[in-house]
Amino acid sequence: MDILTRIVNDKRIEVNLRKQLIPAKQLEQLALFERDTVSLASKLRESNTGIIAEHKRRSPSKQVINHDLNVFDVAQGYENAGVCGMSVLTDGKYFGGSLDDLLTARASCNLPLLRKEFIIDEYQIIEAKAYGADVILLIAAILSQAEIKQFSELAKQLHLDVLLEVHNEDELHKSIMPSIDMLGVNNRNLKTFEVSLETSKHLSKLIPNDFVKISESGISNIEAIKTLQPYGYKGFLIGENFMKTNNAGDSAAQFIKDLQL
């Protein structure tokens, strides 16, 4: 069983338990559910750097990245650095994140926040809105075309942006629909964990220009971004690179400064 299948199986159990504890109707009563969201897609369109910086403590491929940084400092640091948005991992078992991280990030900054999660149920989209997210991630590899449509349309009703992540042509073809705002190409092969920017280059030609193009994974230097910008990429998701340092905000600030030279 590959890692993605394992994560999804665990996620189904987790979501069913959460639904029993806190019904969706209760989530809709939370104060943040009524908050006006900020569009990450719009910010990326206007930006010349397009950095989406991530808060990630660990991952299945890297184990521990950083357990010492707190979300409050990271969110404030990223905002001061001038990033376009912040991605917050909320999966506990595999990435060491939580919905509390999302809540803390929301209280600490005004950036558009992406809930980075393995979404397999509408409940998680309502949860994302209730905990202060502006954007949700949908992963084509774990969803059918009908689910992508259902989930993205619900997100749009809640005024959330939708970032859809693909790894190959088949996933891309089933995912192109008007309820998607951004198409993210993950350069990491989820079965082997190998990373190649060629994936972003190859798929860029197949992504219609109505979507904001984002490249994810393996973006650890300025060269990678400079290489991908001519292919139409406006957004770059960077996690480990900032999180493995002692000060994620300072690292992001330096990175953006160097990028603008």
Side-chain angles (χ1 to χ4, degrees), residues 220-232:
S220 54
N221 55 40
I222 307 293
E223 287 66 46
I225 292 179
K226 300 264 196 221
T227 302
L228 293 173
Q229 280 173 331
Y231 288 85

Side-chain angles (χ1 to χ4, degrees), residues 144-159:
S144 66
Q145 188 171 31
E147 286 172 325
I148 293 170
K149 186 173 188 299
Q150 178 194 347
F151 296 165
S152 57
E153 286 177 356
L154 171 63
K156 297 320 293 172
Q157 283 167 23
L158 297 175
H159 307 292

Side-chain angles (χ1 to χ4, degrees), residues 4-73:
L4 202 53
T5 311
R6 270 216 318 272
I7 292 173
V8 169
N9 290 346
D10 285 340
K11 193 57 64 180
R12 289 195 195 285
I13 297 166
E14 181 195 316
V15 171
N16 285 334
L17 289 170
R18 293 179 91 91
K19 281 162 109 168
Q20 289 166 30
L21 280 173
I22 308 175
K25 283 273 170 274
Q26 216 170 311
L27 289 172
E28 290 168 7
Q29 302 306 310
L30 294 175
L32 285 172
F33 197 78
E34 295 304 319
R35 173 184 160 266
D36 289 337
T37 51
V38 185
S39 170
L40 175 61
S42 302
K43 288 227 172 207
L44 291 172
R45 277 198 187 93
E46 295 157 11
S47 172
N48 59 357
T49 54
I51 304 300
I52 304 160
E54 195 153 78
H55 180 271
K56 175 161 69 169
R57 291 186 182 86
R58 63 171 191 265
S59 74
S61 61
K62 283 277 164 64
Q63 299 308 315
V64 173
I65 297 164
N66 196 329
H67 280 287
D68 299 330
L69 300 180
N70 71 58
V71 184
F72 173 80
D73 291 334

Side-chain angles (χ1 to χ4, degrees), residues 22-240:
I22 308 175
K25 283 273 170 274
Q26 216 170 311
L27 289 172
E28 290 168 7
Q29 302 306 310
L30 294 175
L32 285 172
F33 197 78
E34 295 304 319
R35 173 184 160 266
D36 289 337
T37 51
V38 185
S39 170
L40 175 61
S42 302
K43 288 227 172 207
L44 291 172
R45 277 198 187 93
E46 295 157 11
S47 172
N48 59 357
T49 54
I51 304 300
I52 304 160
E54 195 153 78
H55 180 271
K56 175 161 69 169
R57 291 186 182 86
R58 63 171 191 265
S59 74
S61 61
K62 283 277 164 64
Q63 299 308 315
V64 173
I65 297 164
N66 196 329
H67 280 287
D68 299 330
L69 300 180
N70 71 58
V71 184
F72 173 80
D73 291 334
V74 173
Q76 288 206 327
Y78 282 161
E79 186 166 42
N80 294 337
V83 305
C84 286
M86 177 174 174
S87 163
V88 182
L89 272 135
T90 59
D91 173 77
K93 182 170 181 181
Y94 295 91
F95 291 88
S98 70
L99 276 164
D100 275 352
D101 289 340
L102 188 58
L103 216 47
T104 303
R106 180 73 292 146
S108 317
C109 73
N110 294 310
L111 291 167
L113 295 182
L114 163 70
R115 180 187 187 188
K116 188 97 175 279
E117 181 55 272
F118 299 84
I119 290 182
I120 41 105
D121 193 297
E122 286 193 341
Y123 179 83
Q124 293 161 287
I125 301 168
I126 294 165
E127 218 174 31
K129 177 77 166 130
Y131 279 81
D134 301 280
V135 193
I136 58 155
L137 172 74
L138 296 178
I139 301 171
I142 61 175
L143 300 170
S144 66
Q145 188 171 31
E147 286 172 325
I148 293 170
K149 186 173 188 299
Q150 178 194 347
F151 296 165
S152 57
E153 286 177 356
L154 171 63
K156 297 320 293 172
Q157 283 167 23
L158 297 175
H159 307 292
L160 294 167
D161 270 7
V162 179
L163 165 60
L164 191 111
E165 175 179 303
V166 299
H167 298 85
N168 56 42
E169 283 189 40
D170 291 345
E171 290 174 9
L172 179 61
H173 291 313
K174 74 173 180 184
S175 308
I176 291 178
M177 53 187 82
S179 43
I180 305 293
D181 302 284
M182 297 165 279
L183 269 161
V185 176
N186 193 333
N187 300 305
R188 177 174 282 122
N189 179 318
L190 291 182
K191 293 190 166 58
T192 62
F193 283 121
E194 284 169 5
V195 173
S196 167
L197 294 184
E198 293 307 313
T199 312
S200 279
K201 292 181 189 176
H202 170 62
L203 292 180
S204 70
K205 307 181 208 37
L206 307 171
I207 300 173
N209 290 329
D210 330 357
F211 303 101
V212 176
K213 296 181 199 177
I214 295 178
S215 187
E216 311 169 18
S217 296
I219 300 174
S220 54
N221 55 40
I222 307 293
E223 287 66 46
I225 292 179
K226 300 264 196 221
T227 302
L228 293 173
Q229 280 173 331
Y231 288 85
Y233 286 93
K234 292 291 289 174
F236 305 92
L237 186 70
I238 302 181
E240 267 152 49

Side-chain angles (χ1 to χ4, degrees), residues 56 62 65-66 69 220 239-248 251:
K56 175 161 69 169
K62 283 277 164 64
I65 297 164
N66 196 329
L69 300 180
S220 54
E240 267 152 49
N241 205 38
F242 303 147
M243 283 299 291
K244 66 186 181 194
T245 64
N246 295 330
N247 189 317
S251 313

